[in-house]
Amino acid sequence: MTAVSADRIQSAAQARSVATQLAAGFASGAATRDRERELPHQEVGRLAASGLLAVTVPSAYGGADLPPSTVAEVVRILAAADPNIAQIPHSHFVYLNLLRLAGSEEQRRRYFARVLDGGRIANAQSERGGATVTDIATTVRPAAGRFRIDGVKYYCTGSLFADLLAVLTRLEDPEERSGLPAGEYVAFLPADAAGVRIIDDWNGLGQRTTGSGTVSFDGVVVEGGQLIARSAAVHAPTGYGAFAQLLHAAIDAGIARGALTAAAEFVRTTSRPWFEADVTRAVDDPLLIQRFGELSVAVAAAEATLVAAGAAVDAATDGGSGGAAPEVAAHASLAVATAKVLSDRAANEVSAALFEVGGTRSVAADLNLHHFWRNARTHTLHDPVRWKYQHIGRALLHDTPPPLHGVI
């Protein structure tokens, strides 16, 4: 756990300023870390020490209680510099939101205090064996007055950097010994708990330093006070899923901005003009100018819809643990779906167009400019945007609300 600065962030402006300062440092080594697969332990430590990971802790528990829109902007700023680092705390913020919405008073006091002291949370949620991504085989069962967890999780982003793991489990209690209702529970447990094995085996073509490997659980013992029923967050109009999706859109919008910035810098400093343009500098090629205008519009549209979606999610989360009005929550989900479509499109288009505008020199392997495209292509696979179009179209034509929980 990293010691946090005594001067805690208290406002959205402070959060943006701190994120911008950190991003400047993170950007300088991003391509090298990606090429060499150097895990950003020091950088994540600086992120935790900055206090940014605690900005959503409610004011009643000593935090700044900053809204989802601020978190999205922080994530976007970081992603423009290094999308790997930006993705690492995604589940940290999502599970702090679960704690706010569904945790007991004692759980909130305990875990919010950990985060204010620099604690970092990572997910252990996804599995590979089920028919769909929503099928959960990892179990939590009553055992000698406590509980035990058994299972294997994959794509556990941030687990290599975490103090706490948020483990999605399914209660297996056919004899009803626990007294708990059936359903899914998230267990908060120390990353170094006995029976936990964190494996650094992520080998995706992009997002290579996110620590998104495998975590196995073999008879991990937990107390009942470490379990939070998930239903209160995902089966009510709380904005829980919209918040998680908002941060994914922020990562993609940040990748688009980072790729556009890198492309412009490369053309200014390195590219040669095409001979038919009859200019002495690549930046004076009218066709390149046109293309950069098109790419700038794509990035600006993604960023603008991200801001609009952030405001909508803010409104949906104002209702606290009781949730917002259904129509407010639905509006937030649809606004985020729109942002997700445009950020996905911008991230993939701009990161590929970098080579189109940069020319042959831009594909040099030592430059590793392709890390923007690989990161975009990898992260945007998290959930298919074709279903965002479905939700938007069904809402317009049939007045059908989008799913409450979304894909976390």
Side-chain angles (χ1 to χ4, degrees):
M1 196 156 60
T2 303
V4 178
S5 170
D7 298 324
R8 285 184 177 154
I9 295 168
Q10 295 295 330
S11 69
Q14 277 184 292
R16 289 192 296 269
S17 176
V18 171
T20 301
Q21 293 172 33
L22 287 173
F26 295 163
S28 62
T32 299
R33 284 191 299 274
D34 177 275
R35 184 178 61 244
E36 305 299 329
R37 200 176 177 274
E38 296 174 357
L39 295 174
H41 287 286
Q42 291 186 350
E43 289 77 11
V44 173
R46 288 168 55 197
L47 177 61
S50 74
L52 282 173
L53 300 186
V55 296
T56 62
V57 172
S59 55
Y61 301 91
D65 208 2
L66 298 185
S69 58
T70 298
V71 182
E73 179 62 6
V74 164
V75 169
R76 187 198 65 80
I77 290 168
L78 295 176
D82 187 335
N84 291 270
I85 293 174
Q87 190 181 351
I88 288 166
H90 175 277
S91 54
H92 171 93
F93 288 115
V94 169
Y95 283 107
L96 283 182
N97 195 30
L98 176 77
L99 186 63
R100 179 181 69 87
L101 292 169
S104 68
E105 180 64 23
E106 194 278 331
Q107 288 170 331
R108 292 172 184 169
R109 283 199 306 268
R110 183 197 317 171
Y111 295 118
F112 284 145
R114 287 284 303 271
V115 170
L116 288 172
D117 287 339
R120 309 170 215 168
I121 302 170
N123 85 90
Q125 176 169 303
S126 293
E127 300 184 7
R128 287 180 177 169
T132 74
V133 71
T134 61
D135 292 331
I136 302 301
T138 298
T139 57
V140 58
R141 305 177 226 179
R146 294 186 287 180
F147 295 84
R148 64 172 285 164
I149 296 175
D150 296 276
V152 181
K153 298 289 187 177
Y154 302 92
Y155 316 119
C156 299
T157 298
S159 56
L160 293 173
F161 313 97
D163 305 298
L164 293 169
L165 297 176
V167 188
L168 180 58
T169 68
R170 173 179 52 80
L171 180 63
E172 188 172 281
D173 185 15
E175 298 177 1
E176 300 183 348
R177 289 185 291 154
S178 67
L180 297 177
E184 294 178 346
Y185 288 79
V186 173
F188 282 74
L189 56 94
D192 60 356
V196 174
R197 185 179 176 219
I198 300 175
I199 306 165
D200 181 15
D201 61 354
W202 170 242
N203 65 349
L205 65 87
Q207 297 298 88
R208 299 179 67 222
T209 63
T210 54
S212 298
T214 301
V215 182
S216 65
F217 303 89
D218 184 8
V220 180
V221 177
V222 297
E223 305 289 344
Q226 294 172 261
L227 302 176
I228 298 178
R230 194 166 177 251
S231 59
V234 300
H235 295 146
T238 60
Y240 180 69
F243 174 59
Q245 283 285 292
L246 178 71
L247 301 190
H248 283 303
I251 293 169
D252 296 335
I255 294 174
R257 175 59 66 183
L260 182 64
T261 300
E265 179 64 16
F266 191 85
V267 170
R268 288 191 201 102
T269 61
T270 308
S271 293
R272 293 186 295 177
W274 186 244
F275 70 94
E276 292 178 280
D278 196 24
V279 296
T280 59
R281 302 185 307 164
V283 292
D284 296 323
D285 180 336
L287 298 184
L288 268 185
I289 292 171
Q290 173 74 19
R291 187 64 176 128
F292 268 103
E294 294 168 352
L295 298 175
S296 295
V297 168
V299 175
E303 291 173 343
T305 52
L306 182 69
V307 171
V313 178
D314 288 352
T317 58
D318 277 347
S321 59
E327 62 271 17
V328 175
H331 172 66
S333 291
L334 293 171
V336 171
T338 302
K340 189 70 168 61
V341 167
L342 290 179
S343 63
D344 180 299
R345 182 186 301 168
N348 284 301
E349 179 186 6
V350 179
S351 61
L354 188 158
F355 305 103
E356 170 196 336
V357 297
T360 307
R361 294 182 178 187
S362 64
V363 301
D366 61 318
L367 297 176
N368 196 26
L369 289 174
H370 52 80
H371 78 95
F372 291 104
W373 179 83
R374 289 187 291 99
N375 289 332
R377 184 62 281 171
T378 300
H379 182 259
T380 55
L381 293 175
H382 181 272
D383 52 291
V385 293
R386 61 184 178 271
W387 279 99
K388 309 305 180 189
Y389 286 114
Q390 284 287 311
H391 299 154
I392 294 167
R394 290 173 181 179
L396 177 63
L397 295 178
H398 303 300
D399 201 25
T400 302
L404 285 173
H405 56 79
V407 177
I408 310 305

